[in-house]
Amino acid sequence: MAKKREALDDQLKERIVKALEDLEYGSIHIVVHDSQVVQIERTEKYRLPAEKLENKNVSVRVSK
């Protein structure tokens, strides 16, 4: 029984590491019920480079 538990723990560790791989921006959410991990959620965000206003032909209005 201990070997089965160790195998499950190793599998869980592998899944957590896999969820973290190549994650630049985002989060990993681990759901636990009755002291057991039942779900791993990965939310990834892609950040796009912001364009500077000076590179655009944008006129800015100033209200008085």
Side-chain angles (χ1 to χ4, degrees):
M1 183 138 181
K3 285 188 178 185
K4 185 177 181 181
R5 179 67 187 170
E6 287 178 24
L8 287 174
D9 287 345
D10 289 341
Q11 183 181 18
L12 177 61
K13 289 175 191 174
E14 286 178 29
R15 289 187 181 225
I16 292 170
V17 169
K18 187 175 179 182
L20 287 168
E21 286 177 356
D22 301 322
L23 182 66
E24 286 188 58
Y25 299 98
S27 61
I28 304 296
H29 186 87
I30 300 172
V31 180
V32 178
H33 289 273
D34 295 326
S35 300
Q36 299 292 317
V37 174
V38 295
Q39 187 171 324
I40 301 170
E41 299 174 13
R42 174 181 161 145
T43 303
E44 188 168 0
K45 297 181 181 200
Y46 294 98
R47 303 260 171 124
L48 304 175
E51 289 187 45
K52 295 182 180 180
L53 284 177
E54 61 197 38
N55 292 338
K56 292 184 176 182
N57 291 325
V58 176
S59 60
V60 178
R61 293 184 192 178
V62 178
S63 60
K64 293 182 180 181

